Amino acid sequence: MDYKAKTVAGLLAATCVFSIIALILSVVNVKDVFLPPSTKYGLVFDAGSTHTALYIYRWPADKENGTGIVSQVEACTAPGEGISSYADNPAEAGASLKPCLDKAMKIIPAEQQRDTPTYLGATAGMRLLREQNSTKAEQVFAEVSKAIGKYPVDFRGAQILTGNEEGSFGWITINYLLETLVKYSFAEKWEHPRDTEVLGALDLGGASTQITFQPGVTTEDNSTSTFFRLYGSNYSLYTHSYLCYGQTQALKMLLADLHKGNSSSQEISHPCYPMGYQENVTMSALYNSPCVRAPSTPSPAQVLTVIGTGDPAACSTAIRKLFNFTCGANRTCGFNGVYQPPVRGQFFAFAGFYYTFHFLNLTSQQSFSDVNSTIQTFCNKSWAEVTQKQLQLHHTQWLVMVHQRTSSQKNANMNDPD
Ligand SMILES: O=c1ccn([C@@H]2O[C@H](COP(=O)(O)OP(=O)(O)O)[C@@H](O)[C@H]2O)c(=O)[nH]1
């Protein structure tokens, strides 16, 4: 696969959370195919914490064993950041959706637009905004609903997904795409693949991260269990979403921790940034999230200077402090005392995991030792060697590594052929 194709695949991977509808078979140009009258369209806005995307789907009206086989027609990335970033200017959240809605109207035949079910699902960015200021979250939702409502579609509503929904939908998406749930056979029929194990899902978002898998034991904590019947088979899953442990929010927690370690200083020495790197950040920008607790004497306008020290070992130590590995009353846990049954089978990591590993050329099932040595080499580069574009990934890679190891537990076989 060339670089462009991999980028497109990555963008698709990042949208996995809305997969009940996003069951992708192939990407086709709708103008080139004959559409029987029974073909239906659907629109799904994936309102992520860092960006919003619109997916256009179509499917034959009949179902396979009670579940639809759906194809993605088109994907459109909305300009700007995620809708939660418009908390102080909610009308802009609505406006940001228009270019993609216009595109959808050009694809869906006019006579079918009013029958096109349209949903907007928001993830942890909006969960955090709701926690911080429910009125602002409602205003953002009112504006996006108003914007969608102006188009001649069957708008079924905007909602914030629960962490369990986000985790489960990601699990369904990857297993659908990997054909472990249903497969098109040589007999030209959709069949349940025999002797094929489903894969666990690891989803690293911007504001939260999810782990979902089919455990080998009964789940002890009902709040982490979920049940699906798909294509005639039953699936009992374990799922948990760690709010604040997505890349953006975890890095905020890390920076706040480093600041608190020496709060009298206006400088923050950051071991995860390369030597020679420097940036200014205001206190209000650093402490603007429920994931970080603001100091008792806040001074929002104060400017802090972040200075990279390029120290991978210290970076790893600082990141580990964000995780509490004590299980408490639970016999087995992921981290922060959250119950997690022993992991089972292979895992598939996507979204933020994919972007980072793709950047480091580590998406060909390299061994853990290769992954570690590549990361070590990259972490030891100076700022002069790291371009601005690379920086975003540079300061997330440690998080990815630690998180991958902890949430999937050390014996998971994810992408590790050894
Ligand atoms: O082209 C992209 C798109 C997304 N991401 C990262 O992928 C993660 C998932 O983004 P999303 O907005 O979907 O976050 P969520 O809503 O799942 O928290 C975030 O850390 C993004 O920074 C990325 O690195 N490159």
Side-chain angles (χ1 to χ4, degrees):
M1 219 183 346
D2 65 13
Y3 180 79
K4 196 174 168 197
K6 283 187 175 172
T7 307
V8 172
L11 288 170
L12 290 174
T15 66
C16 281
V17 294
F18 302 108
S19 60
I20 273 189
I21 295 170
L23 300 178
I24 304 162
L25 277 177
S26 60
V27 179
V28 293
N29 184 338
V30 70
K31 290 184 198 124
D32 295 344
V33 295
F34 169 72
L35 299 176
S38 55
T39 296
K40 296 199 70 176
Y41 285 87
L43 296 177
V44 180
F45 277 102
D46 169 354
S49 63
T50 64
H51 73 291
T52 301
L54 173 63
Y55 296 91
I56 304 170
Y57 300 105
R58 67 177 181 84
W59 62 91
D62 55 328
K63 291 184 175 178
E64 172 61 28
N65 247 331
T67 313
I69 303 288
V70 179
S71 310
Q72 182 177 308
V73 179
E74 183 70 68
C76 172
T77 303
E81 295 181 42
I83 58 171
S84 56
S85 69
Y86 298 104
D88 295 322
N89 189 3
E92 281 298 307
S96 74
L97 308 184
K98 287 181 182 163
C100 286
L101 282 161
D102 289 339
K103 191 171 183 181
M105 294 304 101
K106 288 195 183 109
I107 290 170
I108 303 169
E111 65 278 11
Q112 281 182 264
Q113 291 173 358
R114 290 204 180 276
D115 294 328
T116 298
T118 301
Y119 300 85
L120 182 142
T123 56
M126 285 301 290
R127 288 204 285 279
L128 285 177
L129 179 60
R130 182 175 58 189
E131 203 172 302
Q132 201 171 24
N133 189 326
S134 59
T135 309
K136 286 188 178 181
E138 279 162 23
Q139 284 166 349
V140 168
F141 262 69
E143 289 295 335
V144 295
S145 300
K146 200 164 94 188
I148 300 170
K150 287 185 180 152
Y151 285 77
V153 293
D154 177 12
F155 181 41
R156 306 269 180 98
Q159 62 164 319
I160 299 177
L161 299 187
T162 65
N164 279 13
E165 286 170 334
E166 198 175 349
S168 311
F169 296 171
W171 182 92
I172 294 170
T173 300
I174 58 131
N175 280 288
Y176 182 86
L177 293 172
L178 295 166
E179 300 190 326
T180 58
L181 303 177
V182 67
K183 196 173 166 56
Y184 200 59
S185 71
F186 284 121
E188 298 188 339
K189 281 200 328 222
W190 290 99
E191 286 174 359
H192 178 76
R194 285 171 212 283
D195 306 324
T196 310
E197 286 281 330
V198 290
L199 275 86
L202 289 172
D203 173 4
L204 180 59
S208 67
T209 190
Q210 290 68 239
I211 176 167
T212 307
F213 60 95
Q214 196 172 37
V217 297
T218 309
T219 304
E220 287 170 20
D221 174 356
N222 280 342
S223 70
T224 62
S225 79
T226 182
F227 175 83
F228 287 100
R229 184 167 176 81
L230 299 165
Y231 305 103
S233 299
N234 294 333
Y235 299 93
S236 283
L237 306 177
Y238 164 85
T239 186
H240 184 74
S241 173
Y242 290 90
L243 193 61
C244 298
Y245 283 82
Q247 293 187 79
T248 316
Q249 293 301 324
L251 286 166
K252 218 178 246 292
M253 292 197 288
L254 176 62
L255 191 56
D257 262 15
L258 294 168
H259 175 232
K260 279 176 193 151
N262 190 6
S263 54
S264 56
S265 169
Q266 301 219 346
E267 287 182 357
I268 305 176
S269 294
H270 202 312
C272 307
Y273 285 82
M275 185 80 83
Y277 176 77
Q278 194 167 314
E279 95 174 299
N280 287 337
V281 57
T282 58
M283 288 278 274
S284 60
L286 175 54
Y287 291 103
N288 67 353
S289 153
C291 298
V292 286
R293 200 174 313 136
S296 46
T297 49
S299 41
Q302 191 189 335
V303 176
L304 301 164
T305 303
V306 182
I307 295 170
T309 58
D311 183 345
C315 172
S316 197
T317 304
I319 288 172
R320 277 172 195 276
K321 283 190 195 148
L322 301 178
F323 299 85
N324 178 353
F325 296 114
T326 317
C327 285
N330 290 315
R331 253 183 325 124
T332 53
C333 66
F335 56 86
N336 295 356
V338 175
Y339 166 74
Q340 181 179 295
V343 290
R344 176 165 165 250
Q346 297 270 313
F347 275 72
F348 191 89
F350 53 96
F353 289 111
Y354 171 81
Y355 292 113
T356 303
F357 278 71
H358 174 245
F359 173 77
L360 295 168
N361 270 332
L362 289 172
T363 50
S364 315
Q365 302 220 324
Q366 282 87 345
S367 66
F368 261 123
S369 64
D370 281 353
V371 168
N372 284 337
S373 65
T374 305
I375 289 173
Q376 284 289 347
T377 305
F378 190 75
C379 280
N380 281 311
K381 287 186 177 179
S382 72
W383 173 231
E385 295 171 273
V386 178
T387 65
Q388 184 67 39
K389 191 165 174 268
Q390 286 172 319
L391 178 68
Q392 180 206 354
L393 289 157
H394 184 269
H395 64 226
T396 62
Q397 67 207 312
W398 281 108
L399 179 70
V400 168
M401 187 185 73
V402 173
H403 179 75
Q404 183 188 26
R405 284 180 167 181
T406 52
S407 63
S408 67
Q409 298 179 353
K410 291 190 180 69
N411 59 346
N413 292 328
M414 186 184 65
N415 289 343
D416 186 357
D418 293 342

